[in-house]
Amino acid sequence: MEEYKWPLPEGFRKPCTLRQLQDALASHETLASPVLRCDAQRNLHLRPGGCSGIIPQDQVAAPFLSGAQRDIAALSCVGCSVCFQVTGQRIAADGSTEFLLSRRLAQEEAMEHILRHGTPGMVIRGQVTHLAPFGAFVDVGCGLVALLPLANISVARIRHPAERFALHQRIRAVVQSIDPQQKRIVLSHRELLGTWLENAARFRVGETVPGIVRSCKPYGCFVELTPNLSGLADSREDIPEGRLVSVYIRSIQPQTGKIKLQMVQELGQPDFPTPLHYQITGGSVSGWRYRP
């Protein structure tokens, strides 16, 4: 997998300067600035480079989004930085110069770039924009949102994306698929968390370590040691799923990909969204924050 320089997500861009704004009239460069308000007609009002700017309602989002999505897109932009291209300028009612902006053009250009150069397996940067029970929505460029399904977040079973991610968190993800007709992008994250052997190598037989109870069955409880590694402990009816526990490592079996654990005690409630030493951008996994 290789990281590819896609169009930047909106939250990654710095607010533009007046000079950039003026130059963009000719260069059509994609800029960014925070949205101050959305009026009753769903026009977005900004102050890029200290000047008055407006994104008309029909320029707020790309046309391949449905009407309902465009309405939500306009309302959810307030207080956030958005991408745009400068399409012109005019004299406002108060006599000041107002720049005409288009987020739609920036998104269409970004999607065209993705469809031309994007392939499954690429590692891209994104920013979490919304969390739902079935997955996380991630801005993968200029406000274009891709789905990261719940099952693609980690090998270890989780109940909600909030157990891994927080709103506005910057993450890396793998492109799983791109649908040119529907202009839909599906992401995965589990491939970035290391293989079973890589994660298991961090642990030793005889150690006692923290983990999260992810699933309880009559024959035992599956305890997550890292986002891509779980082991089976003895059944405990008094400890519900989702609780942080300490476990003794009885055996690690690389041949079968199994880890046998012994439950020691309950430690409390995990402090989501991220493990203590686990970073979305890469790598490590030992220990969890928790609330007693």
Side-chain angles (χ1 to χ4, degrees):
M1 293 179 291
E2 69 173 296
E3 188 159 1
Y4 183 79
K5 189 177 180 181
W6 279 23
L8 286 175
E10 288 183 315
F12 283 53
R13 295 175 180 268
K14 295 181 179 179
C16 67
T17 64
L18 176 58
R19 179 61 181 271
Q20 289 175 318
L21 191 67
Q22 294 169 334
D23 291 347
L25 271 170
S27 69
H28 305 293
E29 179 186 359
T30 295
L31 304 176
S33 184
V35 175
L36 301 180
R37 65 186 179 91
C38 174
D39 64 30
Q41 288 71 46
R42 299 294 189 265
N43 303 309
L44 302 183
H45 297 266
L46 307 80
R47 293 285 297 175
C51 298
S52 177
I54 184 171
I55 303 179
Q57 184 273 337
D58 64 344
Q59 297 298 315
V60 169
F64 45 81
L65 295 177
S66 70
Q69 286 176 305
R70 282 198 295 273
D71 258 2
I72 294 172
L75 297 173
S76 62
C77 283
V78 177
C80 300
S81 181
V82 300
C83 296
F84 58 81
Q85 292 186 6
V86 183
T87 59
Q89 52 187 340
R90 67 186 181 187
I91 302 301
D94 61 1
S96 64
T97 299
E98 183 174 56
F99 284 86
L100 300 175
L101 315 172
S102 174
R103 185 170 180 250
R104 168 180 173 169
L105 289 179
Q107 290 186 335
E108 289 177 332
E109 183 179 280
M111 178 57 75
E112 182 182 350
H113 185 84
I114 289 171
L115 294 179
R116 185 186 304 121
H117 300 289
T119 58
M122 285 181 168
V123 178
I124 63 171
R125 293 180 293 171
Q127 184 164 356
V128 177
T129 63
H130 181 64
L131 299 172
F134 53 85
F137 291 93
V138 180
D139 176 357
V140 294
C142 293
L144 297 175
V145 175
L147 175 64
L148 175 53
L150 186 67
N152 290 359
I153 292 177
S154 68
V155 171
R157 178 189 172 192
I158 59 174
R159 295 167 295 178
H160 195 280
E163 296 178 14
R164 285 286 183 270
F165 305 124
L167 286 177
H168 310 303
Q169 183 174 351
R170 296 183 178 189
I171 67 170
R172 289 168 65 236
V174 179
V175 177
Q176 185 178 73
S177 65
I178 300 174
D179 185 337
Q181 282 71 42
Q182 298 294 326
K183 293 184 172 58
R184 290 178 183 169
I185 303 166
V186 178
L187 305 175
S188 183
H189 185 73
R190 55 196 292 172
E191 292 84 352
L192 301 178
L193 303 177
T195 65
W196 189 94
L197 287 175
E198 289 170 339
N199 282 283
R202 302 177 185 275
F203 300 91
R204 297 288 183 272
V205 173
E207 290 181 334
T208 299
V209 297
I212 295 180
V213 178
R214 290 303 187 193
S215 178
C216 293
K217 306 293 182 183
Y219 52 83
C221 296
F222 288 96
V223 179
E224 177 186 359
L225 302 179
T226 78
N228 259 20
L229 186 71
S230 293
L232 185 64
D234 46 303
S235 182
R236 289 282 297 271
E237 295 182 357
D238 58 320
I239 300 180
E241 294 181 9
R243 301 296 288 182
L244 190 77
V245 296
S246 59
V247 289
Y248 174 80
I249 301 177
R250 296 167 54 192
S251 68
I252 299 176
Q253 304 170 15
Q255 304 89 342
T256 59
K258 293 180 179 179
I259 297 180
K260 291 186 178 180
L261 307 170
Q262 169 98 28
M263 200 95 71
V264 178
Q265 65 177 335
E266 181 179 354
L267 298 177
Q269 179 68 30
D271 186 10
F272 297 125
T274 53
L276 179 60
H277 300 297
Y278 166 63
Q279 299 296 325
I280 297 301
T281 55
S284 129
V285 280
S286 61
W288 302 83
R289 292 196 302 264
Y290 69 97
R291 297 187 297 272

